[in-house]
Amino acid sequence: ANSLSRSRGAMNSKLTHRLLPLSEAGVAEAGDCLEAPRGLFCLPAVVNIGVQKAGTGELQTWLGAHPLMLAHGGEVHFFDGLRPSAAMLRCGQRQRTNLRQRYARHLWHRRPLSRDNVGAAASSAMAAGAPLVRRLAYEKTPAYFDLSNPALLACAVPRAELLVMLRAPAARAISAYQMCAGHIHGKWCQASIDEAIGSALTRSASGSVPRLRRRHLSPQLKRLLTMGMYSAHLHRWLEHFDAAQMRILWLEHFKSEPFECMDAVQRFLGLPPHDYRASATRNEKGLWVIGKSKSSSERWDKTPPSPEVNATLHQFYAPWQRTLAELLRAHNLSLLPARPIPG
């Protein structure tokens, strides 16, 4: 705890968190930890909300290597499976307390925490001498981006920092379909990728922008394609979180310049610099990784779509990419604003 205290000393005060009794969940903030007789449960200070097939697992591994980060590991899937009542969405004191207790317990029920885990240390500077938490709890669930109600996350942790990893939307859709066909073997992805995309996208006239078919389209394939309409989803999140709490990181940038990206992430979160170069190695693809890269174990068939289908996907997403670029500029959402958006 002493080394953590010294490292954290230069950090932004907004990232100093408390250890509170579970009964005080109603006043807990993002990053605070709740203590109960059966364990200690921390609310995340940082949530990676998406997107799928865009490197969220890789980013979690890198962040987890930082001595002041407490990464949950895996995916939590709390909010994307939650069907809120009208009372819960109003986020009154009772609902807020209950939601925070449920969320914190759900996060850590399979991984018990202790005061040593979170670097807790007594501090007379806090009211009633409440201990300070020296590590930032972090969770990632990419399904939150398009499946969860942002109002619920805002009720539970309204001051959390949100990270969003994006990927060129056509490449993301192709990768997601390849994983389904070659690894998950879902019923909805048994056709070739050319057949699937060809049946899902249509044109009203020659040369027009492809449009999504409204009929006879499986919910899974529809979700796979609409997930890449990034600006539409980001608008939902910006209704409940201030733009200053959110930053976008592209997988393509992370692959090519991971150290620059991690420097930007650390600045955004107020973390002291960590020497990632000391522990990173290059994998068989020449990419910098921490430990074993998740992508190294992906052995399924990755036959690309035909040039025609690939072009159709890019044309389908082109209008959405333009609105995304405008949104990122207007709200200063990019972690690396000088770099053009991929795709």
Side-chain angles (χ1 to χ4, degrees), residues 16-343:
T16 298
H17 305 293
R18 302 166 296 174
L19 186 62
L20 301 171
L22 184 66
S23 60
E24 295 185 21
V27 298
E29 299 285 356
D32 287 347
C33 295
L34 306 171
E35 199 163 29
R38 294 186 179 181
L40 189 150
F41 311 95
C42 296
L43 291 167
V46 187
V47 183
N48 188 337
I49 61 172
V51 299
Q52 292 175 331
K53 301 304 294 177
T56 58
E58 201 72 23
L59 178 61
Q60 179 172 248
T61 300
W62 284 68
L63 274 174
H66 196 294
L68 296 183
M69 292 298 297
L70 180 65
H72 172 271
E75 296 181 5
V76 176
H77 292 290
F78 179 75
F79 292 103
D80 52 317
L82 205 56
R83 297 295 174 263
S85 63
M88 187 183 295
L89 288 174
R90 286 195 294 271
C91 195
Q93 181 67 26
R94 180 179 177 182
Q95 290 77 24
R96 185 163 57 247
T97 299
N98 178 265
L99 183 62
R100 289 173 182 172
Q101 289 177 345
R102 289 171 59 193
Y103 182 30
R105 282 176 157 164
H106 182 87
L107 270 166
W108 305 105
H109 73 283
R110 293 182 180 177
R111 183 187 171 187
L113 298 176
S114 67
R115 289 193 173 202
D116 288 339
N117 289 142
V118 302
S123 171
S124 59
M126 298 296 291
L132 298 181
V133 174
R134 307 290 181 180
R135 299 178 73 187
L136 296 184
Y138 167 89
E139 82 115 320
K140 69 104 177 175
T141 304
Y144 288 168
F145 186 69
D146 65 312
L147 291 185
S148 67
N149 188 326
L152 295 177
L153 189 63
C155 180
V157 282
R159 296 186 182 180
E161 312 283 1
L162 304 184
L163 288 171
V164 187
M165 286 203 74
L166 299 181
R167 180 180 185 178
R172 196 218 67 82
I174 292 167
S175 178
Y177 194 87
Q178 289 170 336
M179 185 179 75
C180 179
H183 179 62
I184 300 175
H185 305 295
K187 291 183 178 180
W188 65 273
C189 55
Q190 293 180 351
S192 72
I193 190 168
D194 281 7
E195 293 173 319
I197 301 302
S199 67
L201 299 178
T202 183
R203 297 179 191 269
S204 58
S206 177
S208 63
V209 175
R211 300 180 65 180
L212 198 64
R213 291 184 185 273
R214 298 300 179 185
R215 297 182 180 181
H216 312 299
L217 187 64
S218 72
Q220 296 90 343
L221 185 55
K222 179 180 179 181
R223 183 189 172 218
L224 181 147
L225 292 168
T226 57
M227 193 183 300
M229 300 174 180
Y230 299 141
S231 58
H233 298 296
L234 286 172
H235 274 298
R236 294 191 312 122
W237 288 93
L238 288 170
E239 290 176 358
H240 298 278
F241 287 88
D242 190 89
Q245 295 174 253
M246 186 187 305
R247 286 296 181 269
I248 308 299
L249 178 62
W250 291 88
L251 174 62
E252 289 82 356
H253 298 162
F254 189 70
K255 282 184 172 181
S256 63
E257 296 292 343
F259 303 112
E260 180 185 357
C261 289
M262 292 310 299
D263 286 346
V265 169
Q266 290 174 102
R267 287 194 300 271
F268 171 56
L269 299 180
L271 289 165
H274 174 65
D275 185 9
Y276 284 102
R277 291 182 181 274
S279 54
T281 58
R282 288 190 184 271
N283 66 8
E284 65 276 11
K285 297 179 181 178
L287 301 175
W288 288 103
V289 297
I290 299 289
K292 183 179 179 181
S293 172
K294 180 181 176 182
S295 61
S296 299
S297 61
E298 296 181 353
R299 303 300 182 188
W300 52 82
D301 178 46
K302 295 185 179 180
T303 302
S306 66
E308 293 77 15
V309 167
N310 189 52
T312 297
L313 272 174
H314 279 83
Q315 292 161 7
F316 172 67
Y317 287 121
W320 294 101
Q321 288 294 87
R322 288 193 291 271
T323 60
L324 175 65
E326 295 170 359
L327 183 70
L328 298 185
R329 284 194 299 268
H331 295 281
N332 191 29
L333 292 175
S334 296
L335 270 173
L336 302 176
R339 290 178 173 265
I341 68 171

